Amino acid sequence: MADNARAKKLADLIREVVAQKLQRGIKDPRLGTHVTITDTRVTGDLREATVFYTVYGDDEDRASAAAGLESAKGILRSAVGRAAGTKFTPTLTFVADALPENAKTIEDLLDKARLSDAAVREASSGATYAGEADPYKKPGEDEDAAAE
């Protein structure tokens, strides 16, 4: 079992090699400049690597990029093997990163909260307090009320 630092180092190397190879070495038109490698994780035994990616575009672009990555998996694994110099080159699994969708959902929720805050602010702009201006009792007021 490899230590955690070695797995992290290999994951960083895989991310860099795959990104460079996608940018310069793969001639597949499905993998143009709209594919971004966001993260890479390697198992503790250094046998399997999961590569997370995002695709700029619509669902059709995402599907074609996924097919392109699957077809280029062997070329990318050999490039990783040459760069890593390890006894066993990890198998690569490509997973579409859900980060953009999560960020969009969070942005939508924040916009909804801003609108709600603006509505509350607008409703309370001319409002006054329901009771007295100072609802707290002060020392000595009970004595003054009892003396009267």
Side-chain angles (χ1 to χ4, degrees), residues 25-126:
I26 306 286
K27 302 295 186 210
D28 194 341
R30 299 175 291 186
L31 299 175
T33 58
H34 57 276
V35 176
T36 304
I37 304 300
T38 56
D39 192 21
T40 307
R41 296 185 187 147
V42 178
T43 58
D45 60 356
L46 306 179
R47 295 280 181 170
E48 298 174 11
T50 305
V51 180
F52 295 93
Y53 67 95
T54 59
V55 179
Y56 181 74
D58 57 358
D59 290 334
E60 184 180 320
D61 291 335
R62 289 185 193 99
S64 66
L69 286 170
E70 283 300 315
S71 69
K73 190 184 285 191
I75 296 168
L76 294 171
R77 185 174 180 215
S78 357
V80 167
R82 279 192 300 275
T86 57
K87 186 192 306 188
F88 181 81
T89 303
T91 58
L92 302 178
T93 305
F94 292 97
V95 176
D97 200 353
L99 184 69
E101 290 83 17
N102 291 345
K104 174 80 170 116
T105 303
I106 291 172
E107 285 297 323
D108 291 343
L109 290 173
L110 287 174
D111 287 340
K112 187 176 177 182
R114 282 187 201 104
L115 289 175
S116 175
D117 287 348
V120 168
R121 197 174 309 114
E122 184 179 319
S124 67
S125 64

